[in-house]
C-alpha cells in the first residue's frame, strides 16, 4: 500500500498524465436529487491518497486508512459512514474486479469527498435514463452503489479508458434550525403593523428545485401567473442574498428540513420584492420529497417568523434590548453539541433552578415501556447509569412518568421513584419530556428534606422540560443513528476477521478481543462440546491484563450459566454475587475478623478483581445450526449497566461468532478424522535392514492431507528377505488414498503368502479392477531385497508403468535398473516379469514417483534426465543425504507449491563394515 498526505494546497490528480480521452461521467442513484455529480465549487484544504493491492487483506487496510485520515481531520461525525462505503467499494475493486484500488480523500469546508478507482473500466453500470434494478440487499456481491445512494449526500461514477472511479461526498451534519413557541398576550398598540390584507404566497418546490405549485397570493405579490413559473427553478426568480450578511444559498436552504429567513424575489415588473420566507421539507405518500415555501412581505415577517422565546415569569433582556431565548437561559450558551453533555447540563440547571440536592434525567425506549437513566447529579451516577425501570404503575415501577408529579415524602410511598431508593432523598418533583405527544423522557429534581416542592415548582420544571424536549430528542436520534452506523462498520470488520480463520482457538480469541473494550470491560466464552457435556470456560479476557488471572479464578469457582437457546441477552447475577462475597471475605480477613485461609489456597481473589466483576453481567447464547454450542458472557465493573444498543450489537456479533466457531469446530473434527484415517495408510515404521541403508521422504499434495495417491512401503517377508514398493495412484486426495490402502495391504499379504513379484502384481491388478467404477489405474515399482554376506544386495524388481529406478555407482555413473512394463488397473490379463539387480558396496538405488520427475516451472520440467543429473552429484553420500538432496533440488526447481504427491525411496549398500 502506498499513501500520501498533503495538508492544504490544490489537490493533485493521482491519475496518469498525458492526453487520455476525457472521462465519461454517469449519474447514478435516485437522482434528480443529485443533479450534478459534484457539489458547488469549494476549496480543497487537504488530501490523502493510498493504493491497495488486489488481495483480501487490502479491504481492512483501506478501512483503517480512511478512519485514521478522517479522525485526523476532526470529522468523527461521518467516519463510520465513510468506512462502510469505502469497505464496499474497495471490496468491489480488489475482490470482484480483481484489480488494485486507489483511494483519494479530499477535505473541504463542507465535508469530505472520497474517490475509489479500479483498473477495470469495462464494468459499467446502467444509465439513469434506463430502469435500474439494484437487486436485493441480501444478494451475494457488492452493495457499494446501494450504500452510496442510502448514505452519501452526493455520489457518482466516472469512466476513463483505464479506470472506473466511484466517488461519494459526505457533508458535515448541519445544526437543526427553528423551534415553534407561543408568545404572551400583548396590547393592541404593541402588535406588529401589516397591510389591510396580509397575502401569504404558498409555493411548492419539487426535489429538482423547480416550482410545482403557485397560489393566487403569489400571483398578486410578484405579478406572475402560475403557468408562467411552473417548472422553472425558484433560483431563477430569487435575488439572493437580499439581507446583508446572509451566507446560505437558497438552493441549500430548500434542502433543509426547516428554514426561515429573508431574500428577494424579482417580480414581473423587474423590481426586487423583499420577502420573509418559512420553508418546510415534506414528502408525499409515495416518499417523493418537496419543499413548501410560505412567503410574505419582509415588513410583515411577524406573520411567519418564529418569535423570540421567553417565559412570562422569567424574561431576560440582552444588551441590545432583545428578549433572550429561554432555552439558552436554561441550558446556557453555547449549548453542548453532544447528547451526554446536553443531558448533564440539563440536570445540573434543573437542580439549581429548584434549589434541589439532586436531579436526574431518563430517556424512554422506542416503545415507551421503559426509561433508561442517562444523566444525574447528586446521585451515585455510576451505579445508576443506563439502569432501566418500567414506566407503568406497580411495585418497583416508575408510575409518574407520563405526567407531572410531586411526592412530598418518599418514605410514605416507597418505590414511587425507584431511582431514588436508598439515596436519602425525601421529596421529589418529576415531569415528562414529550415531543408531539409522545413520551421521550422524564426529568426530576429531589431534595433530602420532605415537603420541599409544590405544584408551582412542577410548573416551572415542566416549562423548562418543554423547552428542551425537542433538542434532547433530536440529539438522541442523532446519537442513535451514529451508533447504528458505527455498529454496521463494527460488524463489517468483525465478519471479515471471523471469516479469515478456521482455527478454533483463534476464533475464541477474536470473539473476546472484538468485545473488549468496545462492548464490555471483560468477556468470558463458554463452549459446549456436545449436548451431554457441561459448559466449559474456554477463554477469558479483561481490558486490564493484570486482572485476567483473578477473573478466571473467580469464574472457575462458580457454576457456568445455563445453556438456554432463547435469543437475546439475559442478566447473570452469579459473578457479581461471587465478587461481592469475595470482597467481603477479603475485607474481613484484612480486619482480622475472618478465618485465615490455608497457605495452599494462595492469595485468593483481590478486591480489585471483585470490583472489576461486580457490575452487570449478561449472557448471550452462541447458537449454530439449531444447537447451543456455547455462551458469550459480557461484564461491566461495579454498579455499571449495559445500554440496550450495545446489547443489540452484541447479539448480532454473537450470531456471527457462533457460526464461525461452529465452522472451526467442524473443520477441526473433519481434519482430525481425515488425518487419523490417512495415518492408518502409512507404514507404522520402517524396519531395520541389516547391510542396507534405507531412507524415505514423502510429501502429500493438498492442505490437510498426510497421504495421497503416492505411497511407499518396506516390510519383512521372511528371514533375510524384505519387500519394498513405491507407487502412484491416479489422482490425489482421499479418493486416491483409498486405492493406496488397498495396494499396500494387498502387497504385504500376497508377498508373505510366498508369491513372487509378477504373481503379486497380477493379483493386485485383479483386486483393483474388482473395485469397478471406483477403480483407478496404478503405477507400481515392486521388489524383493536380499542383503548378502559379501556386503552386496540382490534385488528382484518389477516396474509396472512406474518411473524407472536409477542406480548410482561409486564412479558416479547413473543408469536405469529396470525395464518398463504395463501399469495396473487397466487390462485384465498382464504378463509381467521380474529383473534381478545386484547393488555393490557404495551403490545407491533411487526410486521416485512422477511428482518428482514431472515437477514444472512454466514450460520446463525436471524429467528423468534432470533427476539423473542430480543423482550424479550424490556419490559417497548416505541414503538419507541422497534423498534430502533430491528433495531439495525438486523444491528449488519451481517457486510454486507442488501440485502432485511426491515420494522418494533411497537404498544404499555401504559395505561389509555395516551389520
Amino acid at each position: 500500500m502506498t499513501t500520501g498526505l498533503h495538508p492544504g494546497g490544490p489537490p493533485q490528480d493521482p491519475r496518469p498524465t498525458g492526453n487520455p480521452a476525457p472521462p465519461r461521467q454517469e449519474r447514478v442513484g435516485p437522482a434528480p436529487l443529485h443533479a450534478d455529480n459534484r457539489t458547488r465549487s469549494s476549496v480543497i484544504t487537504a488530501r490523502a491518497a493510498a493504493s491497495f493491492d488486489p488481495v483480501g487483506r487490502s479491504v481492512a487496510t483501506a478501512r483503517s486508512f480512511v478512519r485514521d485520515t478522517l479522525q485526523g481531520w476532526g470529522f468523527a461525525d461521518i467516519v463510520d459512514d465513510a468506512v462502510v462505503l469505502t469497505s464496499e467499494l474497495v471490496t468491489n475493486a480488489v475482490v470482484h474486479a480483481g484489480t488494485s484500488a486507489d483511494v483519494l480523500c479530499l477535505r473541504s469546508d463542507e465535508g469530505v469527498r472520497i474517490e475509489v478507482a479500479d483498473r477495470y473500466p469495462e464494468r459499467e453500470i446502467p444509465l439513469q435514463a434506463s430502469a435500474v434494478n439494484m437487486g436485493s440487499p441480501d444478494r451475494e456481491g457488492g452493495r457499494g452503489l446501494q450504500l452510496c445512494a442510502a448514505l452519501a449526500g452526493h455520489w457518482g461514477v466516472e469512466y476513463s479508458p483505464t479506470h472506473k472511479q466511484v466517488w461519494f461526498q459526505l457533508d458535515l451534519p448541519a445544526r437543526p434550525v427553528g423551534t415553534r413557541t407561543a408568545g404572551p398576550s400583548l396590547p393592541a398598540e404593541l402588535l406588529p403593523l401589516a397591510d389591510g390584507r396580509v397575502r401569504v404566497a404558498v409555493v411548492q418546490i419539487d426535489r429538482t428545485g423547480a416550482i410545482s405549485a403557485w397560489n393566487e397570493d403569489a400571483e398578486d405579490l410578484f405579478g406572475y401567473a402560475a403557468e408562467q413559473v411552473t417548472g422553472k427553478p425558484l433560483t431563477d426568480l430569487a435575488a439572493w442574498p437580499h439581507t446583508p450578511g446572509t451566507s446560505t444559498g437558497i438552493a441549500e436552504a430548500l434542502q433543509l428540513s426547516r428554514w426561515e429567513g429573508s431574500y428577494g424575489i424579482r417580480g414581473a415588473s423587474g423590481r426586487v420584492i423583499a420577502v420573509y420566507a418559512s420553508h418546510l421539507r415534506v414528502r408525499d405518500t409515495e416518499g417523493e420529497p418537496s419543499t413548501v415555501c410560505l412567503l410574505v412581505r419582509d415588513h410583515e415577517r411577524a406573520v411567519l417568523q418564529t418569535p423570540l422565546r421567553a417565559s412570562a415569569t422569567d424574561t431576560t433582556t440582552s444588551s441590545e434590548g432583545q428578549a433572550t431565548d429561554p432555552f439558552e437561559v436554561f441550558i446556557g450558551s453555547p449549548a453542548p453539541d453532544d447528547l451526554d453533555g446536553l443531558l448533564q447540563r440539563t440536570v445540573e440547571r434543573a437542580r439549581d433552578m429548584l434549589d434541589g440536592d439532586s436531579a436526574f434525567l431518563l430517556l424512554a425506549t422506542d416503545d415507551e415501556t421503559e426509561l433508561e437513566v442517562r444523566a444525574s447529579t447528586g446521585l451515585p451516577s455510576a451505579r445508576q447509569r443506563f439502569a432501566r425501570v418500567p414506566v407503568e404503575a406497580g411495585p418497583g415501577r416508575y408510575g409518574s412518568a407520563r405526567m407531572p408529579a410531586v411526592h412530598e415524602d418518599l418514605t410514605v410511598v416507597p418505590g414511587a421513584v425507584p431511582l431514588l431508593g436508598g439515596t436519602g432523598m425525601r421529596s421529589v418533583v418529576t415531569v415528562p419530556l414529550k415531543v408531539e405527544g409522545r413520551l421521550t423522557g422524564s426529568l426530576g429534581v429531589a431534595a433530602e428534606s420532605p415537603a420541599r416542592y409544590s405544584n408551582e415548582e412542577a410548573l416551572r420544571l415542566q416549562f423548562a422540560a418543554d423547552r428542551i424536549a425537542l433538542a434532547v430528542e433530536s440529539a438522541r436520534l442523532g446519537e442513535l443513528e451514529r451508533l447504528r452506523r458505527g455498529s454496521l462498520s463494527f460488524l463489517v470488520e468483525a465478519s471479515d476477521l471471523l471469516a479469515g480463520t478456521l482455527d478454533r482457538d483463534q476464533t475464541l480469541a477474536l470473539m473476546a478481543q472484538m468485545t473488549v473494550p468496545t462492548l464490555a470491560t471483560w468477556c468470558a466464552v463458554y463452549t459446549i462440546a456436545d449436548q451431554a457435556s457441561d459448559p466449559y470456560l474456554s477463554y477469558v479476557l479483561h481490558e486490564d491484563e493484570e486482572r485476567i488471572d483473578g477473573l478466571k479464578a473467580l469464574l472457575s469457582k462458580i457454576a457456568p450459566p445455563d445453556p438456554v437457546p432463547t435469543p437475546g441477552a439475559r442478566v447473570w447475577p452469579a459473578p457479581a454475587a461471587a465478587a461481592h462475597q469475595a470482597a467481603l471475605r477479603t475485607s474481613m480477613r484484612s480486619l482480622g475478623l475472618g478465618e485465615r485461609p490455608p497457605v495452599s489456597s494462595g492469595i485468593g481473589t483481590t478486591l480489585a478483581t471483585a470490583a472489576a466483576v461486580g457490575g452487570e453481567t449478561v449472557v448471550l447464547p452462541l447458537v449454530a445450526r439449531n444447537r447451543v454450542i456455547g455462551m458469550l458472557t459480557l461484564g461491566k465493573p461495579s454498579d455499571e449497566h449495559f445500554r440496550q444498543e450495545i446489547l443489540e450489537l452484541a447479539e448480532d456479533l454473537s450470531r456471527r461468532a457462533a457460526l464461525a466457531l461452529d465452522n472451526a469446530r467442524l473443520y477441526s473434527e473433519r481434519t482430525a478424522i481425515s488425518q487419523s484415517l490417512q495415518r492408518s495408510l502409512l507404514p507404522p515404521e520402517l524396519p531395520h535392514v541389516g547391510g542396507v541403508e534405507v531412507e524415505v521422504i514423502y510429501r502429500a499434495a493438498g492442505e490437510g492431507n498426510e497421504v495421497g495417491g503416492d505411497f511407499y512401503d518396506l516390510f519383512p517377508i521372511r528371514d533375510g528377505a524384505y519387500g519394498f514398493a513405491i507407487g502412484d495412484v491416479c489422482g490425489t486426495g482421499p479418493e486416491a488414498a483409498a486405492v493406496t490402502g488397498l495396494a499396500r495391504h494387498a502387497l504385504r499379504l500376497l508377498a508373505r503368502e510366498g508369491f513372487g513379484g509378477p504373481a503379486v502384481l497380477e493379483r493386485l491388478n485383479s483386486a483393483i479392477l474388482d473395485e469397478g467404477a471406483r477403480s483407478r489405474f496404478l503405477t507400481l515399482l515392486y521388489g524383493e531385497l536380499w542383503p548378502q554376506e559379501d556386503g552386496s544386495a540382490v534385488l528382484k524388481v518389477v516396474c509396472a508403468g512406474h518411473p524407472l529406478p536409477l542406480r548410482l555407482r561409486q564412479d558416479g555413473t547413473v543408469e536405469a535398473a529396470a525395464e518398463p512394463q504395463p501399469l495396473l488397473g487397466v487390462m485384465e490379463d498382464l504378463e509381467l516379469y521380474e529383473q534381478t539387480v545386484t547393488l555393490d558396496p557404495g551403490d545407491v538405488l533411487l526410486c521416485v514417483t512422477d511428482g518428482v520427475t514431472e515437477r514444472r516451472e512454466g514450460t520446463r520440467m525436471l524429467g528423468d534426465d534432470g533427476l539423473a543429473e542430480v543423482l550424479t552429484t550424490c556419490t559417497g553420500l548416505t541414503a538419507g543425504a541422497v534423498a534430502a538432496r533430491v528433495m531439495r533440488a525438486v523444491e528449488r526447481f519451481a517457486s510454486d507449491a507442488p501440485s502432485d504427491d511426491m515420494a522418494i525411496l533411497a537404498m544404499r549398500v555401504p559395505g561389509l563394515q555395516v551389520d
Side-chain angles (χ1 to χ4, degrees):
M1 181 189 81
T2 58
T3 63
L5 182 63
H6 310 277
Q12 302 174 4
D13 193 342
R15 292 180 286 264
T17 59
N19 297 310
R24 64 184 188 275
Q25 301 177 358
E26 305 296 349
R27 191 183 52 190
V28 297
L33 176 61
H34 312 300
D36 56 349
N37 68 337
R38 297 178 184 264
T39 57
R40 61 192 179 90
S41 178
S42 59
V43 178
I44 303 300
T45 57
R47 72 185 291 274
S51 296
F52 302 93
D53 297 330
V55 293
R57 62 178 180 273
S58 292
V59 179
T61 309
R63 284 198 297 267
S64 299
F65 164 70
V66 171
R67 183 183 298 278
D68 294 343
T69 299
L70 267 60
Q71 287 180 341
W73 289 347
F75 291 161
D77 290 338
I78 59 176
V79 163
D80 291 326
D81 285 357
V83 168
V84 170
L85 293 175
T86 303
S87 177
E88 285 294 330
L89 298 179
V90 173
T91 299
N92 289 344
V94 304
V95 176
H96 301 304
T99 77
S100 60
D102 299 325
V103 179
L104 176 64
C105 302
L106 301 175
R107 182 184 71 184
S108 68
D109 295 335
E110 297 156 349
V112 171
R113 172 183 169 115
I114 297 179
E115 302 175 356
V116 179
D118 63 41
R119 293 175 175 79
Y120 191 7
E122 291 81 5
R123 298 197 317 137
E124 299 190 7
I125 60 175
L127 298 176
Q128 178 62 27
S130 62
V132 180
N133 179 15
M134 291 287 191
S136 168
D138 298 324
R139 78 191 196 285
E140 294 293 329
R143 294 182 288 272
L145 299 183
Q146 288 180 302
L147 286 175
C148 284
L151 300 180
H154 304 268
W155 65 284
V157 181
E158 298 176 1
Y159 293 94
S160 73
T162 59
H163 291 74
K164 179 177 73 67
Q165 174 182 285
V166 181
W167 63 268
F168 61 89
Q169 176 158 325
L170 298 174
D171 300 326
L172 295 178
R175 294 178 60 86
V177 297
T179 302
R180 293 191 297 267
T181 63
S185 300
L186 294 175
E189 61 271 15
L190 297 180
L191 296 176
L193 294 173
D195 292 342
R197 177 188 170 189
V198 176
R199 298 187 182 276
V200 180
V202 180
V203 182
Q204 190 161 4
I205 311 299
D206 63 21
R207 68 185 302 168
T208 66
I211 298 171
S212 60
W214 185 268
N215 74 340
E216 293 181 359
D217 281 358
E219 294 183 13
D220 291 337
L221 281 175
F222 308 118
Y224 298 104
E227 56 268 21
Q228 292 179 277
V229 296
T230 300
K232 293 183 177 180
L234 181 62
T235 52
D236 289 354
L237 306 180
W240 184 269
H242 176 72
T243 304
T246 304
S247 60
T248 303
I250 189 171
E252 286 77 13
L254 291 172
Q255 298 297 322
L256 299 176
S257 61
R258 184 181 292 276
W259 182 88
E260 288 183 17
S262 298
Y263 52 87
I265 295 291
R266 194 175 303 278
S269 63
R271 184 171 58 90
V272 175
I273 303 168
V275 297
Y276 187 86
S278 175
H279 297 173
L280 177 66
R281 189 80 165 159
V282 299
R283 60 186 175 91
D284 60 20
T285 56
E286 296 179 357
E288 185 71 8
S290 62
T291 303
V292 177
C293 306
L294 306 180
L295 303 96
V296 297
R297 294 182 179 91
D298 191 63
H299 65 274
E300 297 171 337
R301 62 169 58 199
V303 175
L304 299 179
Q305 186 176 25
T306 299
L308 296 174
R309 292 162 288 181
S311 65
T313 60
D314 187 17
T315 302
T316 60
T317 305
S318 67
S319 60
E320 290 79 11
Q322 295 180 337
T324 305
D325 189 343
F327 174 80
E328 294 183 355
V329 172
F330 182 71
I331 294 298
S333 182
D337 292 331
D338 62 302
L339 176 61
D340 289 336
L342 178 61
L343 298 182
Q344 193 60 36
R345 182 84 63 85
T346 298
V347 296
E348 291 171 356
R349 294 302 171 88
R351 180 194 60 185
D352 296 342
M353 183 178 71
L354 297 187
D355 191 23
D357 296 311
S358 64
F360 53 89
L361 192 149
L362 302 89
L363 294 183
T365 56
D366 292 338
D367 57 5
E368 302 180 24
T369 61
E370 289 183 307
L371 291 169
E372 185 179 64
V373 180
R374 292 300 302 271
S376 64
T377 182
L379 295 172
S381 57
R383 177 173 65 88
Q384 304 293 352
R385 187 167 169 79
F386 300 123
R388 289 192 165 205
V389 292
V391 171
E392 303 303 331
R397 297 173 180 266
Y398 200 167
S400 59
R402 298 188 182 275
M403 61 187 68
V406 176
H407 296 280
E408 295 184 350
D409 193 346
L410 290 177
T411 59
V412 179
V413 282
V417 183
L419 180 66
L420 300 179
T423 62
M425 299 298 160
R426 297 285 298 277
S427 56
V428 62
V429 54
T430 62
V431 296
L433 275 68
K434 292 186 177 182
V435 175
E436 297 180 352
R438 183 172 58 86
L439 178 69
T440 60
S442 178
L443 176 63
V445 178
E448 294 179 352
S449 58
R452 173 75 71 85
Y453 303 116
S454 64
N455 289 338
E456 181 179 353
E457 284 79 11
L459 291 175
R460 290 181 61 195
L461 189 61
Q462 184 67 70
F463 181 82
D466 291 342
R467 302 284 73 76
I468 67 167
L470 187 60
V472 169
E473 180 66 4
S474 177
R476 186 189 73 85
L477 293 176
E479 180 195 63
L480 183 60
E481 184 65 17
R482 286 191 298 273
L483 282 173
R484 287 175 177 170
R485 292 184 177 184
S487 300
L488 178 60
S489 176
F490 172 79
L491 290 174
V492 166
E493 296 191 29
S495 299
D496 264 1
L497 291 172
L498 290 171
T501 179
L502 285 172
D503 182 82
R504 176 183 177 276
D505 293 336
Q506 188 174 359
T507 302
L508 289 172
L510 284 175
M511 290 169 58
Q513 292 166 6
M514 285 185 292
T515 57
V516 176
T518 305
L519 305 182
T521 304
W522 62 271
C523 167
V525 182
Y526 291 85
T527 56
I528 303 174
D530 52 60
Q531 294 181 352
S533 301
D534 294 329
Y536 174 75
L537 182 61
S538 298
Y539 202 91
V540 176
L541 184 65
H542 193 284
E543 63 180 5
D544 184 354
E545 293 183 358
E546 295 181 354
R547 298 185 179 181
I548 293 178
D549 291 339
L551 175 60
K552 187 181 299 184
L554 180 68
L555 294 176
S556 299
K557 295 176 182 178
I558 60 178
D562 295 330
V564 178
T566 306
R570 70 182 192 276
V571 176
W572 184 34
H580 176 74
Q581 292 297 325
L584 180 61
R585 288 193 299 269
T586 302
S587 299
M588 292 181 65
R589 285 197 300 267
S590 66
L591 297 174
L593 302 177
E595 296 181 0
R596 297 186 63 84
V599 176
S600 60
S601 65
I603 299 175
T605 305
T606 65
L607 288 173
T609 302
V613 190
E616 186 174 63
T617 302
V618 296
V619 177
L620 298 103
L622 298 175
V623 181
R625 298 174 176 88
N626 298 320
R627 187 174 72 87
V628 180
I629 63 171
M631 285 87 69
L632 177 64
T633 304
L634 307 179
K636 286 281 190 180
S638 294
D639 301 327
E640 287 196 17
H641 298 267
F642 284 96
R643 296 186 59 176
Q644 184 63 26
E645 293 84 359
I646 295 298
L647 294 179
E648 292 173 357
L649 178 58
E651 185 177 357
D652 284 340
L653 176 63
S654 69
R655 286 194 291 267
R656 290 165 169 79
L659 189 58
L661 183 60
D662 200 46
N663 287 339
R665 177 188 63 82
L666 293 175
Y667 179 78
S668 298
E669 290 179 357
R670 190 199 70 174
T671 302
I673 294 172
S674 174
Q675 292 177 348
S676 177
L677 292 174
Q678 291 180 56
R679 281 192 294 269
S680 69
L681 302 178
L682 294 174
E685 60 183 8
L686 293 179
H688 173 72
V689 180
V692 178
E693 297 175 0
V694 180
E695 183 65 27
V696 173
I697 296 180
Y698 184 84
R699 297 285 189 275
E703 183 180 357
N705 289 331
E706 294 189 16
V707 177
D710 291 6
F711 68 96
Y712 67 91
D713 201 358
L714 177 66
F715 54 91
I717 300 176
R718 51 190 173 272
D719 291 340
Y722 298 86
F724 67 91
I726 183 170
D728 184 3
V729 179
C730 174
T732 61
E735 294 83 1
V739 179
T740 296
L742 170 65
R744 193 175 70 83
H745 293 296
L747 288 175
R748 287 191 172 217
L749 178 64
L750 294 172
R752 287 170 177 170
E753 289 294 322
F755 292 98
V760 168
L761 267 60
E762 289 169 2
R763 284 164 173 76
L764 175 59
N765 180 64
S766 300
I768 294 174
L769 292 175
D770 288 344
E771 292 292 306
R774 296 183 301 174
S775 66
R776 292 174 177 242
F777 63 79
L778 167 67
T779 68
L780 180 64
L781 173 66
Y782 174 75
E784 295 180 357
L785 169 65
W786 288 275
Q788 304 297 309
E789 294 181 356
D790 61 359
S792 64
V794 176
L795 295 85
K796 294 184 177 181
V797 296
V798 180
C799 187
H802 199 77
L804 300 179
L806 299 179
R807 176 181 182 179
L808 172 64
R809 296 183 181 273
Q810 283 186 317
D811 59 4
T813 59
V814 175
E815 61 185 8
E819 296 176 354
Q821 300 185 58
L823 52 77
L824 308 182
V826 178
M827 300 178 294
E828 293 185 359
D829 297 326
L830 291 180
E831 294 183 1
L832 302 175
Y833 58 91
E834 62 184 9
Q835 297 173 271
T836 302
V837 179
T838 300
L839 296 181
D840 297 325
D843 289 357
V844 175
L845 185 71
L846 177 67
C847 310
V848 300
T849 58
D850 61 5
V852 174
T853 56
E854 295 180 3
R855 177 73 163 146
R856 295 179 180 274
E857 173 70 20
T859 58
R860 297 188 307 120
M861 186 172 72
L862 180 63
D864 295 334
D865 293 339
L867 179 63
E869 184 177 349
V870 174
L871 187 58
T872 59
T873 66
C874 298
T875 304
L877 299 182
T878 64
V882 171
R885 178 170 292 187
V886 171
M887 177 56 72
R888 188 162 54 249
V890 171
E891 291 175 344
R892 291 177 178 177
F893 187 80
S895 57
D896 295 338
S899 59
D900 194 6
D901 304 327
M902 293 187 293
I904 299 174
L905 172 62
M907 293 183 289
R908 176 177 180 268
V909 180
L912 291 174
Q913 68 274 18
V914 179
D915 293 336

